Amino acid sequence: MNISIFGLGYVGCVSLGCLAKNGHTIIGVDVSRIKIDQINSGKATIIEKEIDEIISEQHKNNRISATSDFKKAILETEISIVAVGTPSTAQGHLNLDYIFKVAENFAEALKEKNEFHIIAIRSTILPGTCDKFTSIIEENSNKKRDVDFAVVDNPEFLREGTAVEDYFNPPLTLIGAENKEAANKLAELYKTLPAEIYITGTRTAEIMKYVNNTYHALKISFANEIGNICKALGIDSYEVMDIFVKDRQLNISPYYFKPGFAYGGSCLPKDLKALQTLAHDNYVKVPVIENVDKTNQLQIERAIEYISGFKGKKLGFLGLSFKAGTDDLRNSPAVTLIEALLGKGFEIKIFDKNVQLARLTGTNKEYIDEKIPHLTKLLVAEINELIEESDVLIVTNNEKEFESHLKNTHNKPVIDFVRLRDETIRQKQGYYGINW
Ligand SMILES: NC(=O)c1ccc[n+]([C@@H]2O[C@H](COP(=O)([O-])OP(=O)(O)OC[C@H]3O[C@@H](n4cnc5c(N)ncnc54)[C@H](O)[C@@H]3O)[C@@H](O)[C@H]2O)c1
């Protein structure tokens, strides 16, 4: 394929060399004369393992060239990849000036082009940017999205230092597009790579780099805080992390990556607090760890705020313990939520088949006696009774049997903290998912 690449920095130079190595013919476009001259004399614009040889070889094969003439590059190619910089502004916002300047270039060139053109944005951009890029082209040319051209998001996952290796072994090839034909055509470019090609909506693809990189930064900071605590205690943090990553069921796994309600129970809050206090006693600052509980409290406040909007309605809670299949009420966020809503004057009923007051003992009983002393009056024995008597239903744990009952709620508002599996419930009028 004939491909143009806008921006010949780290991402652009690597894509230029690697796509040429895969047999495509590439024209690079940049505003920097130096970078254009480097490519045209067979030299890489960046320092990276293997890239010098690739660029030199592909230059000899006549598969790569560079120019400042964006119009020529667009007119002579069928796909363009945009890899210009997206730095931060002084205030921390994303600076999309380079991206939108390139959109204007496309508007100007596409006026003169009759064939369909695909623009893949490889730069890291916030949700909504592809749409704005498309609008800039439409407003400044006589061309229409999906008729004359399509803009798709195709985030880059390479890391500097191992960029070529990462290019040929990506964790995933992600394409975000509303235009499926354009997405499939772009996917053709990557079909030789040993990675899943995942096609999704544009906005989903656009947010992914931010989710990934924020998580990477979080992982590093978490490891550093654990390292600092371990050092203070004379424990080898490298051995600790080696053991940590051995747990592939709970630690390095999809487990817990489910947006929903606050965590609770007898272990997480207690152990988090203990580690935090241990760090404090050893004069180690751990702001990441310290703020975990704050985020958790905010999730409860978010729920209180939303439910408070149903003033005067009878609330029915499906689930009281901190997770399905247990009667442990200690630090259950549902208990905290109900306590707060009772304080606001709400009439509340609760169904949780695992919670039988007569059988509660020890700290579990003490906890609930302190938080909701008149719990007996709120508990109902049958789920149908709860559904009938409530105006609004709040699902706080994912007991399987809830779903079959919630299907027949005649559009009573359902507030879901667990993301019920049954899509027909999620599509009902009045359904609200806490964070989806
Ligand atoms: N560097 C990485 O490891 C990496 C990894 C993944 C994603 N990204 C993202 O990819 C994008 C590019 O990053 P980079 O590190 O390659 O940037 P870079 O600064 O190295 O290169 C950007 C290039 O774009 C050129 N440019 C600016 N305006 C232009 C225009 N109007 N027309 C043509 N060229 C223009 C610049 O001259 C420069 O050569 C960013 O959004 C970045 O966040 C970077």
Side-chain angles (χ1 to χ4, degrees):
M1 267 189 247
N2 290 323
I3 300 160
S4 44
I5 297 183
F6 283 69
L8 296 172
Y10 282 90
V11 171
C13 182
V14 170
S15 300
L16 179 98
C18 296
L19 281 166
K21 200 171 159 66
N22 280 342
H24 302 286
T25 305
I26 323 287
I27 310 177
V29 182
D30 207 292
V31 288
S32 156
R33 193 70 245 167
I34 299 168
K35 292 189 182 181
I36 294 168
D37 291 344
Q38 281 173 314
I39 297 295
N40 285 333
S41 50
K43 293 198 178 78
T45 60
I46 53 165
I47 306 289
E48 266 295 328
K49 235 188 303 173
E50 298 174 68
I51 196 70
D52 287 341
E53 302 84 68
I54 294 176
I55 295 290
S56 157
E57 190 182 282
Q58 297 311 319
H59 179 254
K60 281 193 203 119
N61 292 343
N62 281 327
R63 289 225 182 91
I64 56 174
S65 60
T67 178
S68 59
D69 186 347
F70 61 84
K71 208 181 263 183
K72 177 176 177 300
I74 295 167
L75 295 177
E76 289 180 2
T77 56
E78 43 200 307
I79 296 183
S80 297
I81 290 173
V82 177
V84 299
T86 51
S88 293
T89 65
Q91 290 75 32
H93 293 110
L94 188 67
N95 178 356
L96 292 169
D97 291 354
Y98 302 127
I99 287 278
F100 294 140
K101 178 75 205 147
V102 170
E104 287 168 15
N105 293 165
F106 274 94
E108 205 178 321
L110 289 178
K111 279 185 202 161
E112 296 174 23
K113 188 166 181 181
N114 294 322
E115 295 83 33
F116 193 78
H117 197 87
I118 296 171
I119 302 155
I121 304 202
R122 207 114 170 94
S123 302
T124 302
I125 48 171
L126 285 168
T129 309
C130 279
D131 187 48
K132 182 150 183 220
F133 193 99
T134 306
S135 300
I136 292 175
I137 300 177
E138 285 185 321
E139 282 157 19
N140 295 284
S141 68
N142 49 354
K143 302 293 176 177
K144 288 267 150 292
R145 66 181 77 194
D146 298 335
V147 177
D148 303 300
F149 72 97
V151 178
V152 306
D153 189 52
N154 176 213
E156 172 61 69
F157 297 122
L158 62 74
R159 295 159 299 170
E160 287 174 24
T162 51
V164 171
E165 196 187 324
D166 289 349
Y167 180 92
F168 286 117
N169 296 287
L172 177 79
T173 294
L174 183 62
I175 298 174
E178 266 51 70
N179 183 319
K180 294 300 165 224
E181 258 173 64
N184 290 335
K185 177 108 197 249
L186 185 67
E188 284 283 303
L189 274 191
Y190 301 116
K191 68 177 185 210
T192 53
L193 300 178
E196 180 187 355
I197 298 178
Y198 191 99
I199 299 177
T200 182
T202 312
R203 288 166 62 81
T204 304
E206 285 174 326
I207 203 166
M208 282 318 301
K209 272 296 288 195
Y210 295 97
V211 176
N212 292 0
N213 279 346
T214 303
Y215 181 56
H216 300 161
L218 180 66
K219 272 170 89 167
I220 294 168
S221 302
F222 173 74
N224 286 343
E225 288 190 359
I226 296 292
N228 294 344
I229 296 172
C230 286
K231 185 172 169 72
L233 299 173
I235 297 168
D236 179 8
S237 57
Y238 269 69
E239 192 188 359
V240 167
M241 280 305 164
D242 282 348
I243 298 168
F244 176 81
V245 299
K246 276 186 199 298
D247 178 348
R248 306 226 154 219
Q249 288 180 24
L250 301 181
N251 293 355
I252 309 299
S253 77
Y255 205 82
Y256 295 123
F257 277 125
K258 292 190 170 62
F261 197 36
Y263 61 75
S266 59
C267 294
L268 264 50
K270 168 176 79 71
D271 297 347
L272 182 71
K273 209 176 285 172
L275 186 68
Q276 215 174 293
T277 313
L278 181 66
H280 182 260
D281 291 348
N282 284 279
Y283 306 99
V284 179
K285 289 189 178 140
V286 287
V288 170
I289 294 172
E290 250 170 43
N291 279 291
V292 173
D293 181 56
K294 286 190 189 137
T295 295
N296 205 46
Q297 295 309 318
L298 284 176
Q299 199 65 352
I300 300 175
E301 281 170 29
R302 182 183 168 90
I304 295 171
E305 198 179 308
Y306 183 72
I307 298 170
S308 297
F310 291 92
K311 216 174 172 58
K313 303 282 182 202
K314 292 184 205 156
L315 308 178
F317 277 81
L318 288 85
L320 179 64
S321 62
F322 85 100
K323 68 175 178 186
T326 171
D327 69 346
D328 198 347
L329 301 174
R330 287 170 299 172
N331 290 313
S332 166
V335 171
T336 314
L337 176 62
I338 290 168
E339 189 190 12
L341 291 166
L342 285 169
K344 282 175 175 275
F346 277 97
E347 197 179 315
I348 291 177
K349 292 276 177 225
I350 305 161
F351 172 78
D352 191 325
K353 69 170 186 212
N354 295 308
V355 178
Q356 287 156 22
L357 284 182
R359 294 180 58 183
L360 291 182
T361 53
T363 51
N364 199 8
K365 182 160 170 31
E366 282 164 25
Y367 182 79
I368 199 64
D369 282 348
E370 190 199 318
K371 293 279 178 182
I372 313 178
H374 53 294
L375 182 63
T376 339
K377 290 190 200 138
L378 311 184
L379 283 173
V380 297
E382 294 297 328
I383 187 167
N384 283 333
E385 189 188 332
L386 179 100
I387 290 175
E388 258 166 48
E389 288 181 9
S390 309
D391 303 319
V392 180
L393 298 163
I394 300 149
V395 188
T396 69
N397 71 35
N398 56 5
E399 237 12 290
K400 260 209 167 112
E401 61 161 322
F402 290 167
E403 306 213 350
S404 56
H405 292 274
L406 285 169
K407 273 185 171 178
N408 311 311
T409 54
H410 306 296
N411 291 337
K412 278 190 186 178
V414 171
I415 301 172
D416 182 4
F417 292 165
V418 296
R419 192 168 171 107
L420 296 160
R421 285 151 288 220
D422 190 327
E423 242 182 81
T424 56
I425 305 173
R426 300 212 306 265
Q427 279 159 6
K428 277 176 125 181
Q429 212 189 334
Y431 170 88
Y432 172 84
I434 186 166
N435 47 16
W436 52 89

